[in-house]
Amino acid sequence: MLNTAITKHDHRMLWSTPGWLPEEIGIIVEQGQFFCYEGEDLKLHLQRGIHNITVYSLIGMATNIEGGIEGGIEVAHAEQEAPGQSQWHLFNDFLVRSVSTDEALTFNTSWKVPSVVSFQIKEANNKIDSTWKDQLDTSILYHDLYPNPRSETKTYHILDPKTERPGPDTIIALDTEFVAIRQPEIEMNSDGERETIRPIVYALARTSVVRGQGENEGLPFIDDYISIQEPIVDYLTSYSGITREDLDPRISKHSLLPLKMVYKKLWVLLNLGCKFLGHGLKQDFRVINIHVPKSQVIDTIDLFFLKSRLRKLSLAFLAWYLLKEDIQMETHDSIEDSRTALKLYRKYLEFEDAGILETMLQGYLSRRKRRQL
């Protein structure tokens, strides 16, 4: 870990030189002397093989930018197999985006300078050490955080630390609700068509997670409302069920948690290996800004996908057609939706076991055709 110690104008000018920060460096320490090589000099020393040289790869940096700090990670070195080229990701709090190597390693003294750069021994690249998961702190799952004295009824029951220990065999049903913190910008183009200049921006407002198995199957152990700092432009109540009163800390009857705390609960469950079950989880994961491997996702929107019609069915329709239940009659409720997704998964397993899944879906097609006629 190297502190760039940029304190003078000539320091800043040096860092603004293209290619100043090398992606690999070679270090030789002999007889109390320190030598550092990069580029063609490094290649030459490696070819000669005379000195004991240790090669390090650039894996990340913390960068001071105007208005805050931005981080960069060279994710190619963290993959199990080297992809053959650099793959940089920049992150600013919850915002993560992929960037080119040139963008990651180019600095502008007026608004962007690195403060810390991190190198790793090249031999350690693409060797994943996951032993840290064995010491994962899971205490956040077993405490009722920020209980609200105004709450009349409790919608969830936290996990029992003695009998409920989530792991790779654990299924949890997830659903979330969002609000809008920025309206889309739309303008008319020269052809008279509406064109979206900037899309709508959502913020996570509520997260519900229910037990997917055991004697308490269907019972929520997380039902968190999020304290949102940005101005909310639309509560999307007809879709989210969220109202201003739910998120106003002065009058809300819910426990309002910081986003990072809610995120950490899901992050812990993810790294415990739990399988996330829900309907249309791609949108949930996108707004939460969390990556869940496919092996840990059970999405009922894909389980009941009509390949012959390229049609994905809504949760409300599947509940009506397969469970004979009416949901989302007035608005959405994340606990109800997650429970419904769980019931649909159980129904899917029944149909699969009986070998009648395709028949049931074809029955849906026939019914729709008769309606159209």
Side-chain angles (χ1 to χ4, degrees):
M1 305 290 289
L2 305 176
N3 187 333
T4 60
I6 301 175
T7 58
K8 299 179 181 179
H9 177 70
D10 56 340
H11 295 169
R12 290 176 172 268
M13 296 305 297
L14 188 62
W15 278 95
S16 65
T17 304
W20 162 248
L21 181 61
E23 291 192 73
E24 286 188 356
I25 58 174
I27 302 297
I28 298 176
V29 179
E30 288 185 354
Q31 299 179 352
Q33 291 185 299
F34 177 90
F35 304 91
C36 180
Y37 302 93
E38 50 106 357
E40 293 300 322
D41 289 340
L42 174 58
K43 290 181 181 179
L44 184 61
H45 276 81
L46 290 174
Q47 289 173 356
R48 290 176 175 175
I50 300 175
H51 301 280
N52 183 20
I53 186 168
T54 303
V55 180
Y56 290 81
S57 299
L58 180 67
I59 62 169
M61 71 184 80
T63 306
N64 288 325
I65 60 172
E66 186 177 353
I69 296 178
E70 189 174 65
I73 293 179
E74 175 35 313
V75 296
H77 298 326
E79 296 184 7
Q80 292 184 345
E81 294 185 8
Q85 59 184 0
S86 299
Q87 295 180 356
W88 280 89
H89 279 65
L90 295 188
F91 60 92
N92 187 340
D93 200 14
F94 282 87
L95 176 64
V96 182
R97 62 187 180 94
S98 175
V99 297
S100 67
T101 303
D102 288 341
E103 182 178 347
L105 303 185
T106 298
F107 307 103
N108 187 312
T109 57
S110 64
W111 66 276
K112 176 187 176 184
V113 291
S115 57
V116 176
V117 293
S118 178
F119 286 87
Q120 171 180 274
I121 291 179
K122 188 175 181 179
E123 292 180 353
N125 291 354
N126 309 106
K127 296 178 181 179
I128 311 302
D129 181 8
S130 58
T131 56
W132 58 271
K133 293 184 179 181
D134 298 332
Q135 289 82 40
L136 190 64
D137 181 7
T138 62
S139 59
I140 194 170
L141 300 176
Y142 302 101
H143 291 89
D144 196 1
L145 305 169
Y146 303 164
N148 192 332
R150 290 190 296 268
S151 178
E152 298 174 355
T153 58
K154 196 172 181 179
T155 58
Y156 61 95
H157 295 275
I158 60 173
L159 296 175
D160 186 331
K162 295 181 179 180
T163 60
E164 297 180 296
R165 310 296 295 186
D169 297 326
T170 304
I171 294 176
I172 56 175
L174 166 74
D175 191 62
T176 59
E177 306 294 355
F178 314 122
V179 294
I181 56 174
R182 185 188 302 163
Q183 294 286 20
E185 288 188 10
I186 300 175
E187 65 179 29
M188 303 293 288
N189 61 24
S190 58
D191 296 326
E193 298 175 344
R194 292 163 60 88
E195 184 176 352
T196 300
I197 304 301
R198 187 177 66 179
I200 188 172
V201 178
Y202 297 105
L204 189 65
R206 182 185 180 188
T207 300
S208 299
V209 184
V210 307
R211 295 164 172 86
Q213 56 206 138
E215 60 182 38
N216 291 322
E217 180 176 322
L219 181 66
F221 64 93
I222 294 175
D223 188 28
D224 293 335
Y225 287 75
I226 289 84
S227 175
I228 299 175
Q229 304 304 314
E230 298 90 342
I232 299 173
V233 298
D234 192 343
Y235 287 88
L236 306 171
T237 304
S238 59
Y239 301 102
S240 68
I242 301 294
T243 64
R244 184 184 64 83
E245 290 78 13
D246 290 327
L247 303 183
D248 188 335
R250 297 167 298 180
I251 58 176
S252 177
K253 295 181 180 180
H254 309 290
S255 298
L256 297 178
L257 273 64
L259 177 60
K260 289 185 178 180
M261 194 170 289
V262 177
Y263 182 92
K264 185 176 181 181
K265 291 183 184 182
L266 299 177
W267 182 85
V268 169
L269 292 168
L270 168 66
N271 285 286
L272 287 173
C274 296
K275 292 180 173 60
F276 288 72
L277 184 151
H279 193 82
L281 287 172
K282 185 180 293 185
Q283 171 72 355
D284 296 83
F285 294 153
R286 182 183 296 114
V287 178
I288 296 170
N289 200 14
I290 192 170
H291 171 69
V292 181
K294 290 184 178 179
S295 59
Q296 288 179 243
V297 178
I298 304 173
D299 200 326
T300 51
I301 203 170
D302 295 324
L303 297 182
F304 293 99
F305 176 54
L306 289 168
K307 296 180 181 179
S308 59
R309 293 284 293 273
L310 299 177
R311 182 179 179 86
K312 294 187 176 182
L313 306 175
S314 70
L315 183 67
F317 174 81
L318 288 171
W320 169 80
Y321 180 62
L322 298 177
L323 305 177
K324 312 305 178 188
E325 295 181 6
D326 292 321
I327 67 169
Q328 303 174 354
M329 297 301 291
E330 295 181 2
T331 184
H332 288 237
D333 179 89
S334 51
I335 290 180
E336 179 184 50
D337 288 357
S338 54
R339 282 174 174 162
T340 302
L342 180 58
K343 292 178 184 177
L344 285 173
Y345 177 61
R346 296 301 177 198
K347 187 64 69 175
Y348 167 82
L349 295 178
E350 290 179 20
F351 292 158
E352 276 282 277
D353 186 57
I356 61 172
L357 177 62
E358 192 66 27
T359 302
M360 292 298 297
L361 293 180
Q362 290 300 326
Y364 156 74
L365 287 175
S366 299
R367 182 171 298 189
R368 282 193 61 86
K369 287 179 180 179
R370 288 198 298 271
R371 283 187 176 182
Q372 291 171 356
L373 293 174

